[in-house]
Amino acid sequence: MDKISHISAYCHVKKNAISLNENILFENTAGDFAGYMKSAYSHFKIEYPKFFKMDRLSKLAFLAAEVLLGHPNTSKENRNMAVVLSNSASSLDTDRKYQESISDAHNFYPSPAVFVYTLPNICIGEISIRHKLRSENSFFIFDAFSPGFLKDYSESLLQTDNTDEVLCGWADVDEDSYEAFLYLVSPIGNYSHDEPQLTKLYATP
Amino acid sequence: MHNTYLSHNNIVSSLGFDSVIVVDQISNEISGLRLIQEPKIFESPLYSSMISEEVLNEVFDRLRTKLPHTRLEKMLMVSLKTILKASKIELTHRVGLLISTTKGNIDVLEKDSRFPKERAYLSTLGTELQNYFGFVTEPIVVSNACVSGVLAITVAKRLVDHGKFDHVFVVAGDLVTKFIISGFNSFQALSDLPCRPYCKSRSGINIGEVAASVLVTKDKSRLVEESVEILGAASCNDANHISGPSRTGEGLFRSVNWALKEAHLSPEDIDYISAHGTATMYNDEMEAIAFNRAGLGDTPLNSLKGYFGHTLGASGLLETIIGMHSLQRNTLFASRGFKELGVSQSLNIIEKTTPKKLNTFLKTASGFGGSNTAAVFRKV
């Protein structure tokens, strides 16, 4: 039988602010990305030094997941929470940085610490490690936020025995622009899980 | 509830541009790996399987497109064209296009590329294919490291089962580039010799390139003689490390268990495992642990990396297609490069290409980001 799904919570990390559902939790006063992430890290008392080794896409997605899911705790470990993320620029932000490091034969310094982030799904790995999510995971690329596909794919995962919830959404970093919109698809929740609702939540606040 | 099948399929590789030709070569234990001297990609010669530019252009010219296309687009278009034509399926809103790649047109970021840098966006790659073939649905790109190819098949199955599509064309490809080679080299993961998965003397991976495509369909009248049914599939993250596999093989172990459960099969029902086997120390060891935990230590197993190297986002699809032909031919293909077991747990590595009655196979893959996937297939 089909499991009924709702959206139980959603989180935005935008240039100006971080919000959970309708509430703004943190406003960016730092200006640049690095400063913003650092001050948000302190504000939300994240205490996870590995955060600073991550590339920009992973930092962004990780932070959004942290706000949405809260601090990791053991009660979540056995929740079968799939992770389905998407974006437009894949890992191009780090790809460009890595390409820079190998484009000049006289200044050739490929680094494994950079290369590993040249895959978009690494941010799913970071979130999975933090929240101990041994679950279904996949990263998709679309020109723009694609609510219809994400809804269909999340629902199809919920039909399987090993998925009860889906951490789903969009996390994109491309040169000067960046945004994350993550939401949790659960059996219970205050928001309906359909395309118009997703379009609306993505566009607010 | 209907069943979901893999049907028309194609491989574009250094061993040929047609699945049957490629599988014939494999059944004769012929490898597509060569010592390649290409200073633009790597300073010293290295073992790789690369597609001949000349042959690719010759075949691509038959597609009669006036627009300029990148090397990867040509590979994908040639592969996809073959199965689209053979399937005779009309491209309606019930037909999906799913593309599996890790790096897409990453070579356009190189200084001397004649394509604009925007071509590196994976959705642009999708649009190029959509426009050429005339798909009416938006292309879906899966980019999930080295499990992308198997994952793409499972995503297609889920979308068909969920009623979103009747048919999905899945196409996968990645290139051998300076970007990829220098990156794997920085991890000290490359072998100087043809790779030897699971062997005591293994010394790392070779990187290769292919394009592969398959039709995923629920329509039993659209099948071919090597068609298989997808019985079960799952992916599971290790939640352990972003670049190293789990020491306990947890994610792969769970993926296999979940896939078997969905397939309503037990380990004894699996006739053959088409494993990932990259020939790095850690990967092969992790797989040996996971397969033994799953009760599959005695099941005949191979890695096909000795024929093509690791073809990244295409590998899982490529190896699944070869698995389909393996079942149809009732033949276990030798795990090329293997001599003596070099992992801590027993594995039943296929040392010689041998005939055997086959009905089912398990395909697995693991990759960066802690990702693992498994899928179970059965002869139709």
Side-chain angles (χ1 to χ4, degrees):
Chain A
M1 206 180 90
D2 283 13
K3 293 179 201 168
I4 295 165
S5 64
H6 293 84
I7 296 168
S8 58
Y10 65 97
C11 166
H12 281 282
V13 180
K14 291 190 171 187
K15 271 200 169 171
N16 58 341
I18 297 171
S19 61
L20 180 63
N21 304 328
E22 288 85 9
N23 311 310
I24 291 179
L25 301 186
F26 182 72
E27 286 188 71
N28 177 20
T29 50
D32 70 323
F33 184 89
Y36 181 20
M37 290 295 117
K38 200 175 166 187
S39 55
Y41 175 91
S42 305
H43 176 83
F44 292 105
K45 299 186 175 61
I46 291 177
E47 293 170 347
Y48 191 70
K50 272 205 277 182
F51 179 78
F52 295 100
K53 289 187 179 174
M54 295 177 196
D55 77 339
R56 299 205 299 167
L57 177 62
S58 285
K59 279 196 178 105
L60 185 74
F62 181 97
L63 182 61
E66 199 74 12
V67 173
L68 192 57
L69 302 178
H71 264 269
N73 58 55
T74 47
S75 72
K76 269 206 283 296
E77 273 188 43
N78 293 316
R79 280 163 71 172
N80 292 321
M81 190 189 292
V83 187
V84 177
L85 297 186
S86 59
N87 75 9
S88 155
S90 182
S91 56
L92 267 175
D93 185 56
T94 300
D95 295 356
R96 292 177 186 125
K97 184 176 165 188
Y98 181 79
Q99 184 67 39
E100 193 67 23
S101 76
I102 60 164
S103 56
D104 182 354
H106 302 291
N107 197 11
F108 186 80
Y109 56 97
S111 149
V114 178
F115 181 68
V116 70
Y117 286 101
T118 64
L119 294 163
N121 65 301
I122 298 298
C123 67
I124 296 181
E126 297 284 16
I127 292 168
S128 299
I129 294 167
R130 171 67 163 171
H131 298 280
K132 299 190 174 61
L133 302 175
R134 292 194 186 92
S135 58
E136 285 278 347
N137 56 107
S138 37
F139 205 105
F140 296 97
I141 314 290
F142 292 99
D143 197 29
F145 178 61
S146 193
F149 172 81
L150 292 176
K151 178 193 159 279
D152 285 337
Y153 189 62
S154 296
E155 282 179 350
S156 76
L157 285 177
L158 290 167
Q159 303 307 317
T160 67
D161 288 342
N162 34 32
T163 302
D164 298 323
E165 295 170 277
V166 185
L167 173 63
C168 196
W170 177 263
D172 197 42
V173 178
D174 195 0
E175 294 184 338
D176 292 334
S177 59
Y178 57 87
E179 63 164 342
F181 168 61
L182 263 55
Y183 57 93
L184 196 57
V185 184
S186 304
I188 47 168
N190 290 330
Y191 313 93
S192 60
H193 182 221
D194 55 48
E195 203 175 327
Q197 177 75 275
L198 281 170
T199 305
K200 190 179 134 208
L201 296 181
Y202 173 64
T204 51
Chain B
M1 179 80 178
H2 60 84
N3 298 327
T4 310
Y5 307 93
L6 300 187
S7 181
H8 297 276
N9 57 89
N10 170 269
I11 297 167
V12 166
S13 74
S14 63
L15 287 177
F17 280 38
D18 174 279
S19 303
V20 171
I21 293 168
V22 172
V23 175
D24 284 346
Q25 303 261 45
I26 290 170
S27 63
N28 291 321
E29 297 185 27
I30 293 166
S31 174
L33 291 167
R34 299 276 176 277
L35 191 62
I36 303 220
Q37 198 137 17
E38 185 57 80
K40 273 185 70 183
I41 292 174
F42 198 57
E43 56 200 16
S44 47
L46 85 168
Y47 278 92
S48 177
S49 70
M50 289 181 74
I51 294 164
S52 149
E53 189 83 38
E54 206 184 321
V55 180
L56 178 64
N57 284 334
E58 193 189 311
V59 178
F60 182 74
D61 282 346
R62 292 181 215 151
L63 266 57
R64 296 175 190 282
T65 164
K66 298 260 180 326
L67 299 167
H69 284 287
T70 65
R71 179 173 166 78
L72 180 66
E73 286 160 13
K74 289 178 186 176
M75 287 161 51
L76 297 175
M77 286 163 73
V78 164
S79 183
L80 191 51
K81 176 82 180 183
T82 313
I83 67 163
L84 265 166
K85 201 174 156 190
S87 74
K88 300 189 183 83
I89 285 173
E90 192 193 342
L91 301 181
T92 66
H93 71 286
R94 301 290 303 159
V95 181
L97 169 62
L98 220 156
I99 299 158
S100 163
T101 185
T102 63
K103 299 308 316 155
N105 287 318
I106 193 69
D107 53 332
V108 304
L109 294 187
E110 289 169 12
K111 274 183 197 156
D112 55 358
S113 171
R114 62 190 186 92
F115 289 91
K117 304 268 178 281
E118 288 68 40
R119 204 67 164 237
Y121 286 89
L122 299 183
S123 59
T124 306
L125 175 67
T127 308
E128 289 295 329
L129 297 188
Q130 180 189 18
N131 290 347
Y132 174 75
F133 292 106
F135 282 89
V136 297
T137 56
E138 190 186 4
I140 300 159
V141 179
V142 180
S143 188
N144 215 80
C146 301
V147 310
S148 304
V150 187
L151 189 61
I153 297 170
T154 73
V155 170
K157 171 191 157 50
R158 302 240 179 272
L159 294 173
V160 169
D161 290 351
H162 191 59
K164 171 86 179 158
F165 298 118
D166 297 329
H167 315 282
V168 180
F169 286 92
V170 182
V171 62
D174 263 309
L175 297 173
V176 174
T177 55
K178 188 174 181 177
F179 189 104
I180 287 298
I181 298 294
S182 63
F184 277 95
N185 191 50
S186 76
F187 268 100
Q188 298 180 312
L190 295 181
S191 171
D192 293 336
L193 297 166
C195 67
R196 296 177 164 273
Y198 311 106
C199 187
K200 210 170 185 172
S201 63
R202 71 186 184 277
S203 58
I205 64 179
N206 307 133
I207 303 290
E209 66 187 10
V210 304
S213 51
V214 75
L215 169 67
V216 177
T217 180
K218 65 176 190 180
D219 187 348
K220 220 176 168 179
S221 70
R222 305 271 184 186
L223 305 190
V224 292
E225 55 182 4
E226 66 272 19
S227 276
V228 292
E229 182 184 345
I230 316 168
L231 298 176
S235 72
C236 180
N237 200 286
D238 284 328
N240 176 63
H241 197 278
I242 54 167
S243 61
S246 152
R247 278 176 56 198
T248 57
E250 190 64 29
L252 179 58
F253 167 68
R254 287 188 190 210
S255 303
V256 169
N257 269 353
W258 289 348
L260 284 171
K261 197 177 159 203
E262 192 176 74
H264 301 292
L265 292 183
S266 51
E268 309 82 70
D269 299 321
I270 298 298
D271 293 330
Y272 154 60
I273 305 169
S274 175
H276 191 50
T278 58
T280 66
M281 284 296 158
Y282 292 113
N283 173 79
D284 293 6
E285 176 64 20
M286 179 280 287
E287 285 184 49
I289 292 166
F291 289 134
N292 276 276
R293 283 182 67 192
L296 291 159
D298 295 329
T299 311
L301 169 151
N302 69 12
S303 158
L304 296 165
K305 302 293 188 289
Y307 297 91
F308 304 95
H310 190 349
T311 54
L312 310 172
S315 63
L317 181 55
L318 164 78
E319 293 158 10
T320 299
I321 292 172
I322 296 167
M324 293 165 69
H325 289 266
S326 190
L327 257 50
Q328 192 236 333
R329 295 182 185 202
N330 288 304
T331 305
L332 293 169
F333 297 131
S335 194
R336 208 175 186 282
F338 178 81
K339 277 188 182 153
E340 191 185 346
L341 193 68
V343 289
S344 69
Q345 314 252 326
S346 70
L347 285 176
N348 182 4
I349 310 286
I350 304 161
E351 296 192 43
K352 260 190 173 160
T353 295
T354 35
K356 196 194 170 201
K357 183 92 184 103
L358 300 172
N359 269 310
T360 57
F361 81 102
L362 169 72
K363 174 71 204 124
T364 68
S366 302
F368 278 172
S371 50
N372 301 274
T373 54
V376 179
F377 304 92
R378 183 172 60 199
K379 215 183 244 179
V380 179

